[in-house]
Amino acid sequence: MTRRSPVPLLLVALATLAAGAALAAGAHADEAREEVPSIIAVLCAPDDRFGLRVVAELESLGFRAELLDPAAEPATRASLEASARRAGAIAAIRVVRSDRGVEVWIADRVTGKTVLREMAGGADDGGAPDRDAALALRVVELLRASLLEASLPAPPPGELPATPEIREKMRVPAPAGEPAPALRFSLALGALLSPGGLGVSASADLGLAWMPSEHVGIFALAALPLSSARLDRSHLRVDLSALLAGGGVRFATREGWLAPSVDLGLAVVSLWSSGKVVSSGFTGGDSAAVTVAPFARLGVALAMTSGLRLRADVLASVIARGVSIQIDEHDIVTWGQPILLTSAGVDFGWF
């Protein structure tokens, strides 16, 4: 039996600990970088009334401001950015008096931009506190406009990431669009089918919906026959025309570019049939029937504009006992167990 030296195992353990410490240090550094405090450095003399006014405006908006004395340091982009770094600030502001008013320098480390604006008015006129307040507010708004770029979907690359505090302050609510109309009229072409021997018939589908609330409303519909369902064999021919009209409750949403809906209601079904036996010369008969059937309809609307949408629906219903069509006292076809109506078209909104 051989005895292994503990030295290799000790070296592996030390290497593992060193790697873990390095990863922890890196994570801590990243966390510290993400948690840079949202400080705004204001470069002005301690007794500069206008600089103090800018600080007051910043603090009134919830920013944390720190005064820095620029002394005789020239107003340049490099010096302003260096001052912001020394203060650990996300941005620095400096106002320099000029013959025409004041020059405002803003170094924004979040967006990586330095802004220079000349504003009319004097911060040194010594007797216009209202003018100082208005000018200080314009300076702060200029900073806010620069920081707003950090909330864009693709913000400009900056020296520092936007802190959670800045992202919250600069969050811009989505513009409120015009509310979707509550009253809508629909026009569609449909295909009506009931398995039982007859074919498919075409229909013109009309609808009217009123959505006084966001998710619940009422509706009415009518499916007018454009063709008849036909059974055509060598010795007989049967035609059936069906009209559906009814209404009920709609569960849907008025807002959004895609609006699904569920309709539940009751329909009156009116049927007309005619048939003849071809092989025996002519034997024909016409009949009509009216019945009531519950139905459910699933739909989806795709908004093109606030007032115009593309719409598709599938309706399912069933007549309890069905309708039988007889020729020479023999049941030829049945209809209504179940009923399927598919349609596609447009709907228009008014108000």
Side-chain angles (χ1 to χ4, degrees):
M1 179 176 179
T2 60
R3 183 176 181 182
R4 295 182 180 180
S5 171
V7 174
L9 295 177
L10 181 60
L11 292 177
V12 171
L14 291 176
T16 303
L17 290 175
L23 290 174
H28 181 73
D30 291 340
E31 183 179 358
R33 185 166 60 251
E34 290 290 339
E35 295 179 356
V36 172
S38 305
I39 296 174
I40 310 297
V42 179
L43 279 69
C44 68
D47 57 349
D48 187 331
R49 185 185 62 192
F50 182 71
L52 295 176
R53 174 68 72 172
V54 172
V55 169
E57 290 291 345
L58 288 169
E59 291 177 346
S60 69
L61 295 175
F63 291 103
R64 285 172 284 177
E66 182 174 327
L67 278 174
L68 299 179
D69 190 352
E73 190 174 359
T76 64
R77 174 175 182 170
S79 65
L80 193 62
E81 293 175 350
S83 297
R85 293 189 190 98
R86 285 196 301 271
I90 64 169
I93 299 174
R94 184 172 183 179
V95 178
V96 181
R97 299 182 179 105
S98 68
D99 295 337
R100 299 175 58 183
V102 293
E103 289 181 351
V104 179
W105 291 74
I106 296 178
D108 182 353
R109 300 176 67 199
V110 174
T111 62
K113 295 182 178 180
T114 298
V115 180
L116 171 61
R117 291 288 187 276
E118 187 172 51
M119 297 182 180
D124 60 341
D125 53 12
D130 292 340
R131 182 177 300 174
D132 281 357
L135 193 57
L137 182 59
R138 291 173 61 189
V139 171
V140 173
E141 289 303 317
L142 187 60
L143 171 65
R144 283 170 54 87
S146 179
L147 289 173
L148 271 174
E149 296 187 25
S151 63
L152 296 175
E159 184 180 343
L160 293 176
T163 63
E165 180 184 6
I166 290 298
R167 285 195 293 266
E168 179 65 25
K169 289 182 181 298
M170 297 297 106
R171 185 172 58 186
V172 179
E178 295 183 2
L183 182 64
R184 308 196 72 93
F185 171 74
S186 62
L187 175 62
L189 292 177
L192 183 63
L193 171 66
S194 178
L198 291 168
V200 179
S201 62
S203 65
D205 301 347
L206 308 178
L208 188 66
W210 171 247
M211 297 287 294
S213 70
E214 178 66 23
H215 298 292
V216 181
I218 57 175
F219 74 96
L221 66 86
L224 309 177
L226 296 178
S227 67
S228 60
R230 171 170 291 186
L231 174 64
D232 200 350
R233 297 179 182 173
S234 59
H235 64 287
L236 64 86
R237 177 178 297 165
V238 177
D239 291 301
L240 177 69
S241 297
L243 182 150
L244 281 71
V249 181
R250 170 166 293 180
F251 303 92
T253 175
R254 287 170 51 189
E255 307 295 339
W257 66 274
L258 191 65
S261 62
V262 177
D263 299 338
L264 299 175
L266 201 63
V268 175
V269 184
S270 181
L271 304 168
W272 301 272
S273 67
S274 63
K276 67 178 181 178
V277 178
V278 178
S279 60
S280 60
F282 178 81
T283 301
D286 297 334
S287 63
V290 177
T291 187
V292 177
F295 68 87
R297 183 169 65 167
L298 300 178
V300 63
L302 177 64
M304 309 302 291
T305 66
S306 176
L308 174 63
R309 301 191 301 189
L310 303 180
R311 183 172 185 87
D313 296 277
V314 177
L315 179 149
S317 179
V318 61
I319 299 175
R321 298 182 59 182
V323 175
S324 298
I325 299 177
Q326 298 179 340
I327 294 181
D328 292 339
E329 299 182 354
H330 295 286
D331 291 345
I332 302 301
V333 292
T334 59
W335 193 91
Q337 292 184 322
I339 303 170
L340 297 176
L341 174 62
T342 62
S343 60
V346 294
D347 75 24
F348 307 90
W350 285 291
F351 58 87

